[in-house]
Amino acid sequence: MAETAAEEKAERRIVVAVDEGEESTYALTWCLTNLVSSNFKDTLFLVYARSAPTVYTGLDGTGYMFSSDIVATMERYANEVAESVMEKAQKICRDLAGDIRVDTRVEGGDARDVICQMVERLNADILVMGSHGYGLIKRAFLGSVSNHCAQNVKCPVLIVKKPKSPAS
């Protein structure tokens, strides 16, 4: 019976939120170097939140209409960015932990909601994410994705802050 519990515990589901920023790349690298271990059967889920299409409104409150070509171009660009982010993240995984199981998920929507929903849907054991290190004012206006996730997911959250580079 103790063997079964140890076997169940040996399998971990780690969600790493990735985006275009250096902070998420650093968090993924840190995770692979310090958290992922050959002692566990880790599955790494790379989650990318593709922002929803922006709706532009005029001063009179009416929405701007875009031609289908422009909408298709914006959609294609968003897909290319998502693909690029995932390729970079997968390469980091291969370089630092070649034999780990990696699964990628790209979902559209607000990053806060997408990450929280994916953590729940994947039944994650831990969420790893980078911190942009915004100050109080920026955080008040922009909101903090990591803070929102830390408050709303039901698993531990590891927020990895990239060290500041020394002044030249």
Side-chain angles (χ1 to χ4, degrees):
M1 187 173 215
E3 256 181 55
T4 307
E7 287 175 19
E8 287 178 25
K9 202 172 190 179
E11 192 168 338
R12 299 187 303 182
R13 300 169 72 80
I14 303 168
V15 172
V16 180
V18 295
D19 63 17
E20 302 86 353
E22 292 176 18
E23 295 82 7
S24 76
T25 301
Y26 182 80
L28 174 60
T29 302
W30 191 96
C31 175
L32 290 166
T33 306
N34 297 290
L35 186 61
V36 173
S37 169
S38 59
N39 297 332
F40 295 92
K41 296 176 196 165
D42 290 334
T43 300
L44 201 62
F45 293 92
L46 305 174
V47 174
Y48 177 78
R50 201 179 94 207
S51 57
T54 306
V55 176
Y56 297 96
T57 58
L59 294 175
D60 61 356
T62 60
Y64 288 112
M65 298 297 291
F66 289 116
S67 73
S68 58
D69 289 347
I70 292 174
V71 172
T73 300
M74 291 181 349
E75 186 71 19
R76 193 169 40 253
Y77 176 73
N79 289 335
E80 288 171 4
V81 170
E83 189 176 311
S84 173
V85 168
M86 286 305 190
E87 283 175 8
K88 180 180 176 182
Q90 287 176 311
K91 182 181 181 329
I92 291 169
C93 292
R94 282 191 305 273
D95 291 348
L96 294 179
D99 59 344
I100 188 171
R101 288 175 287 186
V102 177
D103 191 357
T104 60
R105 304 292 170 101
V106 176
E107 297 284 331
D110 183 85
R112 291 174 274 249
D113 299 329
V114 167
I115 294 167
C116 290
Q117 289 166 2
M118 291 306 297
V119 164
E120 185 176 331
R121 200 177 310 157
L122 295 169
N123 194 26
D125 294 301
I126 188 167
L127 168 62
V128 178
M129 48 193 327
S131 170
H132 288 280
Y134 292 144
L136 183 62
I137 307 274
K138 256 190 180 175
R139 202 170 44 246
F141 283 107
L142 299 175
S144 169
V145 174
S146 57
N147 186 54
H148 177 85
C149 293
Q151 298 297 320
N152 290 286
V153 299
K154 293 179 173 78
C155 69
V157 178
L158 177 62
I159 300 170
V160 180
K161 188 171 179 182
K162 185 177 186 243
K164 292 185 179 184
S165 43
S168 311

